[in-house]
Amino acid sequence: MESAGLTYRALADATRQLDGRGLTHAHINMLANGHDRPSLRAMELLARACGVRPTYFAEYRLAAAMRELDPTEVGLEQALANLDARLAARQKRDAKAPARVGAQPHPIG
């Protein structure tokens, strides 16, 4: 927002142009000051309006991961499959990473 020189009002207008509803400047202000939690939709709109990917926001990555692991959202079988895929990807990534000198293993649980 700052690098694009956008005010809350200008950003709200940009989000409104994207989907017809957009976000209000007051809501954006609340999000920016940590007084409200952004929805996935809000983060997607803000990202598009600012010219970045939604995954630019750590909150978006966390919310997406939580959603894909939530059995009430995707079903138990899919949540378990998603968890298995995430664990396999992490093990593969960790196997490729060079060992750090003096690194301690992270406890599980």
Side-chain angles (χ1 to χ4, degrees):
M1 193 176 120
E2 287 178 20
S3 64
L6 295 173
T7 64
Y8 293 140
R9 284 191 192 276
L11 187 54
D13 290 341
T15 63
R16 202 168 299 110
Q17 290 175 7
L18 291 171
D19 78 347
R21 289 183 12 220
L23 304 171
T24 66
H25 72 280
H27 187 207
I28 295 170
N29 187 338
M30 296 287 285
L31 295 172
N33 291 305
H35 297 294
D36 200 359
R37 280 183 121 172
S39 66
L40 288 173
R41 176 186 166 272
M43 288 184 279
E44 289 166 354
L45 282 172
L46 291 169
R48 286 177 55 201
C50 292
V52 298
R53 293 178 182 215
T55 54
Y56 172 84
F57 303 116
E59 296 89 345
Y60 184 87
R61 296 190 307 271
L62 178 60
M66 289 174 60
R67 184 176 188 274
E68 88 176 22
L69 298 174
D70 186 348
T72 62
E73 291 282 335
V74 297
L76 180 59
E77 292 300 318
Q78 186 61 54
L80 292 173
N82 292 342
L83 177 61
D84 287 342
R86 283 183 166 272
L87 291 173
R90 183 176 183 173
Q91 288 173 341
K92 186 176 179 181
R93 184 185 69 235
D94 289 350
K96 287 183 180 179
R100 294 187 328 229
V101 176
Q104 298 294 318
H106 295 283
I108 297 176

